[in-house]
């Protein structure tokens, strides 16, 4: 009995650590996460690389940067990017937008996602 209780307490502690309360992300930490995006994205207006410019991405309809050749999957996706949509997409790009040309496995850690979102917001994203 007693050992079960201890196990239970340990389990609860693991859950508590695994899901920290989300305050706003940390933009400084997010800059490092953005290094993973930089090969394909800039935050400069109108500057597309392999991926579209992420300037002004919040509030923008998915697949709508002029002059960037998106996949049909992305132009058909139909969402307007906000924090919630971006969180889902960055965790699993190909799961959320099947057929996307964004060949990126996704960010595994929720705090990385929070932080990169904070970085994007703080830098004109
Ligand atoms: C290997 C290149 C590559 C990497 C790395 C990459 N992306 Fe992308 N990204 C793309 C491409 C290509 C698209 C366009 C996808 C399509 O048309 O299906 C895209 C699309 C997007 C979009 C949708 C933009 C729009 O205008 O609708 C967002 C948001 C985005 N990427 C964010 C990120 C973030 C944040 C990271 C880093 C965590 C990242 N991407 C990493 C290539 C990449």
């Amino acid at each position: 009995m007693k050992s079960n209780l201890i196990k239970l307490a340990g389990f609860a502690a693991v859950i508590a650590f695994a899901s920290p309360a989300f305050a706003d992300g940390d933009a400084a930490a997010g800059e490092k996460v953005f290094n993973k995006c930089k090969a394909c994205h800039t935050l400069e207006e109108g500057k597309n690389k392999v991926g579209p410019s992420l300037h002004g991405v919040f509030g923008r309809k998915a697949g709508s940067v002029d002059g960037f050749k998106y996949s049909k999957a992305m132009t058909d996706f139909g969402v307007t990017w906000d924090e919630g949509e971006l969180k889902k997409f960055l965790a699993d790009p190909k799961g959320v937008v099947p057929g996307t040309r964004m060949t990126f496995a996704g960010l595994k850690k929720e705090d990385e996602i929070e932080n990169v979102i904070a970085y994007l917001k703080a830098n004109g994203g």
Side-chain angles (χ1 to χ4, degrees):
M1 267 315 273
K2 200 172 173 201
S3 74
N4 274 345
L5 260 180
I6 290 168
K7 271 188 208 150
L8 203 64
F11 188 55
V14 167
I15 290 180
F17 278 113
S19 50
F22 281 121
D24 288 328
D26 176 346
E31 185 171 5
K32 293 205 188 80
V33 182
F34 191 68
N35 285 333
K36 300 184 183 186
C37 323
K38 267 187 184 164
C40 305
H41 292 288
T42 74
L43 276 162
E44 266 175 69
E45 191 168 7
K47 190 161 181 215
N48 302 326
K49 294 171 87 177
V50 174
S53 164
L54 294 180
H55 178 87
V57 70
F58 291 97
R60 186 165 90 198
K61 203 171 161 296
S64 67
V65 166
D66 269 350
F68 184 81
K69 201 167 180 327
Y70 290 95
S71 62
K72 186 167 185 312
M74 186 59 81
T75 47
D76 286 351
F77 185 44
V79 306
T80 295
W81 293 118
D82 61 14
E83 206 167 303
E85 294 298 340
L86 220 50
K87 265 190 203 170
K88 285 188 267 175
F89 177 65
L90 294 179
D92 183 12
K94 288 187 172 156
V96 173
V97 185
T100 181
R101 288 201 292 115
M102 174 154 143
T103 47
F104 179 70
L107 295 170
K108 296 294 164 257
K109 294 188 196 139
E110 222 167 319
D111 61 341
E112 283 188 323
I113 297 177
E114 294 274 331
N115 293 343
V116 82
I117 286 174
Y119 174 77
L120 292 174
K121 279 192 167 165
N123 290 279

